[in-house]
């Protein structure tokens, strides 16, 4: 945590980071940003190896270190194998970004267990699985965990109750893990983005996006880099006195 570095060293020099869902969208922007800050980055993807490899290549072109690692964050065995791979490649793990997620819309009355299980396993249980797998590899000086929640927890939309509930669980885990991991000098925080332009939100109709833009004081929708920069702050020692908090990264969305 208080590793001594020369004033000119990038703030994450010498650190290793795991970014789940690093192949696309917000996770890809996070992977690039953490690498630009000096971290070695493991880009974890579920099935999209081409996109993950493209992110890794773009990072390596800058001179930084990155690897792509396949894993299903909802599966314990897969997560454990992924963490072992990262440990063998890069050593101790300083930073974990639990970003992988899925969104499925179902209006109340049509919610089924299959969709509930998929969203809770991928969005919430994954935070438990990956955090627990990483913990034995966090160095004694501590580390930083950042989870990705959603503005929908605080400002719900029709049809997305289960997704919002799974992200509320992410917030609950974030705040509770911070209490448990504080004594190890591990900070645990979350960001709660509003609508951000990624594959996940591409199907949302333009009129809905226009309404959200009008409800955003900064007058536009988020790009993945807007969220990545806030995550990078929480993943750095600059945020050493911030833990157990959810940062609303939403342009002031009201
Ligand atoms: N976009 C938004 O407006 C918004 C707003 C609030 C919160 N969020 C949250 O932000 C996070 C990133 O969203 P995004 O918009 O960037 O999503 P996205 O473009 O759909 O990308 C999702 C990423 O998660 C990975 N992933 C999904 N399920 C996985 C699994 N079971 N195991 C491992 N990786 C898995 C995907 O891997 P593959 O490429 O291999 O499929 C991909 O890298 C999510 O947690 C989402 O809920 C997004």
């Amino acid at each position: 945590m208080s590793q001594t570095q020369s004033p000119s060293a990038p703030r994450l020099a010498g650190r290793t980071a795991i970014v789940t869902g690093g192949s696309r969208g917000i996770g890809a922007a996070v992977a690039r940003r953490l690498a630009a800050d000096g971290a070695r980055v493991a880009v974890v993807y579920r099935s999209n190896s081409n996109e993950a490899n493209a992110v890794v290549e773009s990072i390596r072109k800058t001179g930084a270190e990155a690897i792509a690692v396949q894993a299903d964050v909802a599966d314990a065995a897969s997560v454990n194998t992924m963490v072992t791979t990262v440990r063998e490649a890069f050593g101790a793990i300083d930073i974990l970004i639990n970003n992988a997620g899925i969104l499925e819309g179902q209006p109340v009355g049509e919610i089924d267990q299959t969709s509930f299980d998929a969203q809770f396993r991928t969005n919430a249980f994954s935070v438990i699985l990956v955090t627990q797998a990483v913990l034995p590899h966090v160095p004694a000086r501590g580390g930083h965990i950042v989870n990705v929640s959603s503005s929908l927890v605080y400002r719900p939309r029709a049809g997305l109750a289960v997704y919002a509930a799974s992200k509320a669980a992410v917030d609950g885990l974030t705040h509770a893990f911070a209490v448990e991991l504080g004594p190890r000098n591990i900070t645990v925080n979350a960001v709660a983005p509003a609508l951000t332009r990624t594959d996940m939100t591409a199907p949302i109709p333009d009129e809905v996006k226009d309404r959200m833009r009008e409800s955003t004081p900064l007058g536009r929708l988020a790009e993945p880099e807007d969220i990545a920069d806030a995550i990078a702050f929480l993943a750095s020692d600059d945020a050493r006195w911030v833990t157990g908090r959810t940062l609303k990264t939403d342009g002031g969305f009201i």
Side-chain angles (χ1 to χ4, degrees):
M1 222 40 163
S2 54
Q3 201 179 37
T4 307
Q5 291 165 1
S6 72
S8 57
R11 67 181 174 179
L12 299 183
R15 306 293 166 91
T16 290
I18 291 177
V19 182
T20 71
S23 49
R24 294 186 283 125
I26 293 169
V30 172
R32 290 194 186 95
R33 174 60 209 258
L34 298 185
D37 280 352
R40 294 177 289 259
V41 180
V43 174
V44 178
Y45 66 98
R46 176 184 47 187
S47 52
N48 217 321
S49 59
N50 286 344
E51 300 267 8
N53 288 329
V55 173
V56 166
E57 279 313 306
S58 71
I59 289 172
R60 287 182 179 161
K61 273 187 190 148
T62 69
E65 289 182 73
I67 54 171
V69 188
Q70 192 281 330
D72 178 353
V73 293
D75 179 83
S78 180
V79 164
N80 288 334
T81 303
M82 176 273 287
V83 171
T84 301
T85 302
V86 177
R87 171 84 208 201
E88 285 172 1
F90 288 153
I93 298 162
D94 307 279
I95 294 164
L96 168 62
I97 313 299
N98 283 310
N99 163 79
I102 56 170
L103 177 148
E104 294 180 8
Q106 287 181 321
V108 63
E110 294 177 23
I111 294 169
D112 61 56
Q113 189 170 355
T114 304
S115 179
F116 178 92
D117 288 348
Q119 292 185 84
F120 267 76
R121 283 191 73 83
T122 305
N123 297 350
F125 189 51
S126 68
V127 171
I128 298 171
L129 282 182
V130 186
T131 300
Q132 291 189 155
V134 162
L135 278 181
H137 308 290
V138 177
R141 67 167 179 264
H144 303 291
I145 298 172
V146 186
N147 302 323
V148 180
S149 177
S150 169
S151 67
L152 289 164
V153 174
Y154 310 98
R155 201 170 181 285
R157 284 191 67 82
L160 296 174
V162 174
Y163 174 81
S166 74
K167 292 298 188 178
V170 170
D171 276 352
L173 292 167
T174 300
H175 306 158
F177 282 1
V179 172
E180 290 190 52
L181 298 178
R184 287 186 56 184
N185 206 28
I186 299 172
T187 66
V188 189
N189 292 291
V191 295
L195 200 154
T196 305
R197 295 212 296 192
T198 68
D199 295 343
M200 183 179 277
T201 55
I204 295 174
D206 283 346
E207 55 269 27
V208 174
K209 289 177 175 163
D210 288 344
R211 279 204 302 277
M212 294 195 68
R213 197 178 289 110
E214 285 160 15
S215 301
T216 303
L218 292 177
R220 63 177 177 85
L221 300 179
E223 301 297 332
E225 289 74 17
D226 294 317
I227 314 305
D229 287 358
I231 290 175
F233 163 67
L234 292 171
S236 79
D237 290 352
D238 290 343
R240 62 193 170 278
W241 198 237
V242 183
T243 196
R245 300 293 176 242
T246 298
L247 177 62
K248 293 181 183 176
T249 50
D250 59 7
F253 183 52
I254 47 173

